[in-house]
Amino acid sequence: MVKLYCDVCGKEVTLEEGTLSWRDDGNALSDFRITHKEDQNHPDPKHVAYIHLWIITGIAGYTRFTELLADHWEKGYALKDYKGLKKALDQISTYIWHKSKENIQKSTTRL
Ligand SMILES: [Zn+2]
């Protein structure tokens, strides 16, 4: 079973208690991090946007998030934290990949 880890406290974070959060200051997106909801810890809380892990680890939520990014690039937003975004997306896509493999294994053992 693949697990997700909090970028702030380093402990395991479950889908129910975690978020992917970032900073949206009106012209740039930055500070992408996967954390427990109470560990988001961004310097300026009123510019913080987030999505729950249980939503973004579903295909619909994941594609919605990529749409949201595309909408921001279209508006001329800068991406200030490529590494953070890449790290977060990597954790999430690895999670989805293992999850879908488990489902395939479950359905083939049932046959
Ligand atoms: Zn944490």
Side-chain angles (χ1 to χ4, degrees), residues 45-78:
K46 81 174 192 292
H47 293 300
V48 172
Y50 68 89
I51 183 166
H52 289 278
L53 289 183
W54 68 266
I55 295 174
I56 200 170
T57 53
I59 291 298
Y62 193 78
T63 40
R64 185 66 198 92
F65 178 67
T66 57
E67 263 179 65
L68 179 147
L69 290 177
D71 289 346
H72 282 77
W73 310 156
E74 168 65 20
K75 285 185 216 155
Y77 270 63

Side-chain angles (χ1 to χ4, degrees), residues 6 8-11 35-36 39:
C6 176
V8 170
C9 75
K11 292 182 185 145
T35 65
H36 294 96
D39 282 342

Side-chain angles (χ1 to χ4, degrees), residues 19-26 28-35 40-53 56 61 64-66 68-69 72-73 77-81 84-85 88-89 92:
T19 59
L20 167 63
S21 61
W22 62 92
R23 191 181 141 87
D24 175 347
D25 63 12
L29 303 180
S30 58
D31 283 341
F32 291 90
R33 56 180 73 138
I34 290 174
T35 65
Q40 287 177 355
N41 203 25
H42 294 277
D44 195 355
K46 81 174 192 292
H47 293 300
V48 172
Y50 68 89
I51 183 166
H52 289 278
L53 289 183
I56 200 170
R64 185 66 198 92
F65 178 67
T66 57
L68 179 147
L69 290 177
H72 282 77
W73 310 156
Y77 270 63
L79 173 60
K80 278 192 187 163
D81 181 23
L85 175 61
L89 289 181
I92 292 163

Side-chain angles (χ1 to χ4, degrees), residues 85-100:
L85 175 61
K86 184 85 181 159
K87 188 177 168 223
L89 289 181
D90 188 55
Q91 262 213 87
I92 292 163
S93 45
T94 303
Y95 181 88
I96 294 174
W97 167 246
H98 283 276
K99 205 69 191 158
S100 53

